[in-house]
Amino acid sequence: MEHVPRQIPRTRRDGRAARWRTTPLTVGGATGHHGAALRNVVAILRREIKGFFGHPLAALVLGLFVIVLSVFVLGFDDVLLGGSVSMRRPFRWMAACFVFLLPAVTMRLLAEEQRTGSMHLLGTLPVTPGEIVVGKWLAAVVLVACALVLTLPIPVVLASLGELDWGPVAGGYLGLLLGGAAFAAIGTATSALTENQIVAFLLAATACLLPALAGAALPLLPTALVPAVEYISFEYHFANLARGVLDSRSVVFFGSVIAVALRMAAALLEHRRLA
Amino acid sequence: MSRRRLLVHLWVQVGLWIAIAIVLNHASAAWFGRVDLTADQRFSLSPVARSTVSSLDKPLLATVWFTEDLDPPYHGHRDALDDKLSELMARSGGKLQVRWRDPTGDEVAIAEAQAAGIQPITYTFRRWDRQEARQVWMGVSLVYGERQEVADGLVSPARMEYDLVRAIRAVTTPAEDRPVVGWLLGNGEPDLAAFPATEPLGQLRDQLRASYRLQAVAPGADGLPDDLDALLVVGPQREVPLPVQVHLDQFLVEGGAVAWFLSQHQPDYDGGVTREVRHGLHALLGHHGVQLGRDILLDRTSNERMTAPVAFRGQRVLAQVNHPLALVTTRLERDFAPVRDIRRVVAPFASPLQVSDSVAPDVVPEPWVLAGANAARAPAPVPLDPATLAQPLPGEDAAAATLVLGLSGRFRSFWVDRALPEELSDAELTLDGRPTRMVVGGSADMVANNPALVLNALDWLLEDAALVDIRTRGGGTPPLEAPSPEAALWLKVLMVGLPLSVVGLLFAWARRRSA
């Protein structure tokens, strides 16, 4: 392991004198100090969230998400005329919207930093690539959570029109949060791959589309491949959660996708620095 | 460490992460846990399923005849069945033993499966460039001592638990101990034996036979069979003779359970109007607490498709159309177990029911199913042409109506103060009876359209509520009371406007804060 000691001035919020601290920057691992790593992640998360909400792009993305979802849920597929009190169809539309929403959110996470050169600046700070990636990914997850909160009027209205079972609703939202977090992790990894935001968006959209569509392709596949392809299909795991069954297999699956994608994103950043 | 080695090190680490993820997912498939978040615990083993297998007193051998590697849409059924059987095994204390066999392509195994009562299912599946029909096996045979039973055609994961528990209860209960259910014939009622298994009444017959000893009953001079536990009277088309009515009355008074599904009207396609059915049971049922209405019910907003004469290019043709006389209702009194999990009831040619004044004091009537809020009653006859029915009919009334009533208590004989028919003038009558139950439906066609309701009603009549609870679990989502167009518009404005306003306010606040 290569340790690169650096002394970084840290500005405190209360205005007291900044103190200098030596933080090891390791290759391929977190800082030795878990508390420092957590502080770094939170600092990046706050910076990203501030950037998101101060930027019109996020407003545009969230507004567009609400409008597109409304067109599908209240227009094409009117839930108020559906005859049954269920969130399954709205959940499907939300999941479909996420395939494009998340790449739009994540495309600038690392690509923008690399294009503008601010990644080099970040490299001078006592943060590991892993902390950068996790912080930025968490910011995207917060945005996903915001998007999901904006859809809450749908189940509330449905509950006023019949006996809505809140168990599957909770499962569906958990599934969307996990699926959204997995999409965000994939988007973060593709954003680390390139400096071009459009390329990052297209790569992420393609990478998210494949597991999203895998379920639909099952009838066309050779029988031997069906279990494996079904398992990597987001729809399969999401459907499990959306019908109200919290299955440890689905949680492990989404967790694995997130962990591997984030590790790849961190590795890509480290690779760029080392190459 | 050289830069090149660091890079190799880096990507080996990534490879290790991927390998760990694969191993973790593989392990999680073998050791997993589930939490059922649904309000009715529909994805957990029901109490009746648990008690059924935990009360086994000797080994129960289940042989699962199931084709491996099924194509969609049946590809997940094997796992669903495996999950259910694993849970049942865990609850059986080692009494339930399961073995899996795939008879596909194995002549010896096919012969064994068929000898056990399992039949192959033909289904069509898609390949890249073609559709293929395939014969597959999806059944379980059970052996419990000397007795055998099957749960075959397990094509619905939602019904698997019911099918398995039904079969386990059947195999662990001696055939002679199963309730005997009669189906009244001789007055123009449909004969269940005449329907193929593909038709709704044929399917109902097979479902009845799976749990009960089903018996066609045409009462003669001796009355109804002594061993009858419950009787279904479905759609008599001719006047039920008075001696038969005496036997029906006596069966009920002596503690037999009866389900009546009676239509007052039927379609006359030649005349293009409804025709009255004169079954002559009004007085009998009126005495026992249910007044059969003479009007016909219609619902112009919530209805099902049915065959009706419609005008087409100047001619009258029969076509499948949504029809006000095939009304659909979601207004079910869900406090009662037989309708708790039923989402909707289809009631073609239905008439309203009312609790009559002459109901015995200790008989408790309970309305199970009500007509929809937009239903209306109209004096018969009414035209069959849906275009004519689009406008309000003369004498039409939008009053609420009951479609199914359940009654329980001691029924008093109808013939207490009445002269018996000549053929039975010497008969000894039971005047005050034993406690029992009765169900009355205002449409005979309900039986073919709502088999779950009929089976639940029968279980309720026989006071076997155990199966009622699991038959309709997972049967669908709760119905939605559609709002008026104006209310729907406001709700949509709320559903779109509220989140957009929140987004706007959030960003206005964030920008002001950052400024």
Side-chain angles (χ1 to χ4, degrees):
Chain A
M1 290 294 212
E2 187 181 60
H3 292 270
V4 186
R6 290 165 201 269
Q7 288 193 311
I8 304 295
R10 297 180 67 83
T11 311
R12 296 178 61 136
R13 272 194 141 198
D14 57 10
R16 283 191 283 171
R19 62 192 167 89
W20 292 84
R21 191 165 69 83
T22 303
T23 311
L25 185 64
T26 58
V27 174
T31 53
H33 198 282
H34 292 298
L38 192 64
R39 272 199 299 275
N40 289 341
V41 167
V42 171
I44 291 166
L45 169 65
R46 290 177 70 169
R47 172 179 170 267
E48 284 300 317
I49 287 176
K50 216 171 167 184
F52 268 141
F53 288 96
H55 198 285
L57 179 70
L60 197 70
V61 166
L62 283 182
L64 210 60
F65 169 70
V66 171
I67 290 167
V68 171
L69 185 67
S70 303
V71 168
F72 287 131
V73 172
L74 303 174
F76 292 151
D77 194 12
D78 196 339
V79 287
L80 301 183
L81 296 177
S84 60
V85 184
S86 166
M87 279 295 287
R88 285 201 183 189
R89 285 182 299 167
F91 279 148
R92 280 194 181 164
W93 288 119
M94 287 182 212
C97 289
F98 272 9
V99 172
F100 298 99
L101 172 84
L102 267 305
V105 170
T106 55
M107 65 183 183
R108 57 181 283 280
L109 283 181
L110 297 167
E112 176 78 352
E113 304 267 17
Q114 292 180 94
R115 189 182 66 78
T116 57
S118 53
M119 189 57 77
H120 294 297
L121 192 68
L122 266 177
T124 64
L125 295 173
V127 287
T128 64
E131 289 161 10
I132 296 171
V133 163
V134 171
K136 284 175 175 286
W137 166 75
L138 276 177
V141 174
V142 168
L143 206 72
V144 169
C146 288
L148 290 179
V149 168
L150 294 175
T151 66
L152 285 178
I154 300 173
V156 170
V157 166
L158 286 178
S160 72
L161 298 172
E163 295 170 32
L164 181 66
D165 187 348
W166 285 96
V169 176
Y173 273 111
L174 179 67
L176 281 172
L177 190 66
L178 286 171
F183 281 158
I186 292 171
T188 309
T190 56
S191 181
L193 206 61
T194 173
E195 293 178 358
N196 188 319
Q197 287 190 38
I198 304 298
V199 174
F201 173 83
L202 291 175
L203 282 174
T206 311
C208 293
L209 211 54
L210 286 176
L213 290 181
L218 290 182
L220 307 173
L221 293 171
T223 309
L225 285 179
V226 168
V229 175
E230 183 179 64
Y231 191 77
I232 61 161
S233 153
F234 276 29
E235 190 196 347
Y236 166 70
H237 295 281
F238 173 67
N240 242 348
L241 291 160
R243 70 191 173 116
V245 180
L246 183 54
D247 193 322
S248 62
R249 288 170 291 191
S250 300
V251 177
V252 168
F253 170 76
F254 283 124
S256 309
V257 172
I258 292 167
V260 168
L262 292 183
R263 186 68 196 90
M264 284 185 97
L268 284 164
L269 288 188
E270 289 178 32
H271 183 100
R272 276 175 180 270
R273 197 156 59 178
L274 290 170
Chain B
M1 199 180 286
S2 74
R3 186 161 288 190
R4 188 182 164 76
R5 287 195 70 178
L6 278 172
L7 281 172
V8 172
H9 196 171
L10 179 68
W11 288 106
V12 166
Q13 262 196 25
V14 173
L16 275 173
W17 275 63
I18 293 170
I20 289 168
I22 291 170
V23 170
L24 208 60
N25 277 270
H26 199 69
S28 79
W31 296 286
F32 62 92
R34 280 187 302 190
V35 181
D36 187 349
L37 301 171
T38 55
D40 57 357
Q41 297 288 296
R42 70 177 59 162
F43 300 110
S44 306
L45 217 50
S46 65
V48 61
R50 291 199 293 264
S51 67
T52 299
V53 288
S54 62
S55 61
L56 294 172
D57 53 14
K58 57 186 169 191
L60 170 64
L61 177 65
T63 307
V64 185
W65 306 91
F66 218 91
T67 303
E68 299 270 353
D69 301 328
L70 284 177
D71 292 278
Y74 294 151
H75 63 285
H77 284 45
R78 192 184 189 283
D79 289 344
L81 182 59
D82 193 14
D83 286 354
K84 282 282 176 234
L85 286 169
S86 301
E87 288 180 55
L88 288 169
M89 279 169 70
R91 295 280 175 176
S92 74
K95 292 284 196 317
L96 175 62
Q97 297 156 15
V98 178
R99 62 180 183 145
W100 290 77
R101 292 193 66 181
D102 179 2
T104 317
D106 181 344
E107 292 300 325
V108 177
I110 287 174
E112 283 180 41
Q114 287 178 331
I118 306 291
Q119 296 301 323
I121 295 168
T122 305
Y123 85 105
T124 307
F125 65 98
R126 268 168 55 202
R127 285 275 183 232
W128 276 109
D129 53 351
R130 63 189 188 280
Q131 285 197 328
E132 279 182 24
R134 188 179 174 194
Q135 286 220 318
V136 298
W137 302 83
M138 301 173 80
V140 180
S141 63
L142 301 164
V143 178
Y144 188 69
E146 299 290 307
R147 292 196 288 273
Q148 291 192 16
E149 182 61 53
V150 294
D152 201 9
L154 300 170
V155 294
S156 162
R159 269 184 58 98
M160 265 177 196
E161 182 179 343
Y162 170 76
D163 289 333
L164 287 170
V165 174
R166 196 269 316 147
I168 293 172
R169 284 165 63 98
V171 77
T172 53
T173 310
E176 59 273 19
D177 289 352
R178 288 194 208 173
V180 180
V181 172
W183 180 277
L184 189 73
L185 288 178
N187 314 289
E189 298 89 347
D191 183 359
L192 280 186
F195 291 91
T198 49
E199 289 195 17
L201 283 178
Q203 289 167 1
L204 178 67
R205 174 198 60 222
D206 293 343
Q207 286 174 300
L208 288 170
R209 280 183 182 159
S211 300
Y212 312 108
R213 281 190 289 158
L214 183 64
Q215 200 173 319
V217 175
D222 298 337
L224 295 161
D226 291 338
D227 60 349
L228 214 57
D229 294 298
L231 180 67
L232 285 160
V233 181
V234 179
Q237 301 290 304
R238 296 192 297 274
E239 186 145 341
V240 179
L242 284 181
V244 175
Q245 292 197 30
V246 173
H247 293 312
L248 294 175
D249 172 77
Q250 286 298 289
F251 177 69
L252 183 68
V253 172
E254 287 170 3
V258 187
W260 316 77
F261 288 92
L262 306 169
S263 286
Q264 316 309 313
H265 310 279
Q266 64 178 13
D268 176 359
Y269 292 119
D270 295 332
V273 291
T274 58
R275 181 158 49 84
E276 191 180 355
V277 176
R278 296 174 191 278
H279 49 62
L281 293 169
H282 290 81
L284 178 67
L285 282 171
H287 170 79
H288 286 308
V290 181
Q291 198 69 53
L292 302 172
R294 303 267 181 186
D295 291 342
I296 192 163
L297 293 171
L298 62 159
D299 192 327
R300 295 183 179 86
T301 54
S302 179
N303 49 53
E304 189 58 271
R305 289 167 75 83
M306 73 169 201
T307 305
V310 293
F312 180 70
R313 292 183 182 169
Q315 289 193 326
R316 191 161 290 276
V317 295
L318 289 177
Q320 281 278 322
V321 288
N322 272 77
H323 202 289
L325 293 178
L327 59 95
V328 174
T329 179
T330 56
R331 294 177 68 198
L332 283 77
E333 296 293 337
R334 298 182 197 284
D335 291 340
F336 301 114
V339 291
R340 185 177 301 143
D341 292 317
I342 291 177
R343 300 305 181 200
R344 66 204 282 269
V345 167
V346 183
F349 296 96
S351 292
L353 305 176
Q354 208 174 338
V355 178
S356 66
D357 298 334
S358 58
V359 63
D362 55 351
V363 170
V364 181
E366 297 158 332
W368 288 359
V369 182
L370 306 173
N374 298 317
R377 60 174 83 189
V382 298
L384 292 177
D385 185 353
T388 315
L389 290 173
Q391 301 304 320
L393 298 168
E396 188 178 311
D397 177 12
T402 302
L403 287 174
V404 180
L405 268 169
L407 299 98
S408 47
R410 286 174 198 273
F411 294 88
R412 297 195 69 222
S413 174
F414 174 65
W415 304 97
V416 173
D417 301 320
R418 292 178 176 82
L420 284 169
E422 206 172 309
E423 301 91 314
L424 297 169
S425 55
D426 298 334
E428 280 189 25
L429 292 183
T430 306
L431 301 181
D432 281 312
R434 286 184 290 185
T436 186
R437 293 176 167 187
M438 180 169 97
V439 174
V440 184
S443 158
D445 294 301
M446 267 184 195
V447 172
N449 286 282
N450 311 279
L453 173 68
V454 177
L455 293 165
N456 281 357
L458 209 45
D459 287 339
W460 181 79
L461 288 174
L462 295 165
E463 302 189 38
D464 186 2
L467 288 178
V468 172
D469 286 337
I470 57 170
R471 180 180 290 116
T472 44
R473 285 202 327 159
T477 45
L480 179 137
E481 290 290 335
S484 67
E486 296 80 26
L489 183 66
W490 280 110
L491 287 173
K492 286 179 182 179
V493 168
L494 175 81
M495 288 156 87
V496 182
L498 185 66
L500 282 180
S501 308
V502 170
V503 172
L505 287 172
L506 194 67
F507 283 93
W509 172 78
R511 286 183 78 85
R512 184 177 298 174
R513 196 158 180 250
S514 63

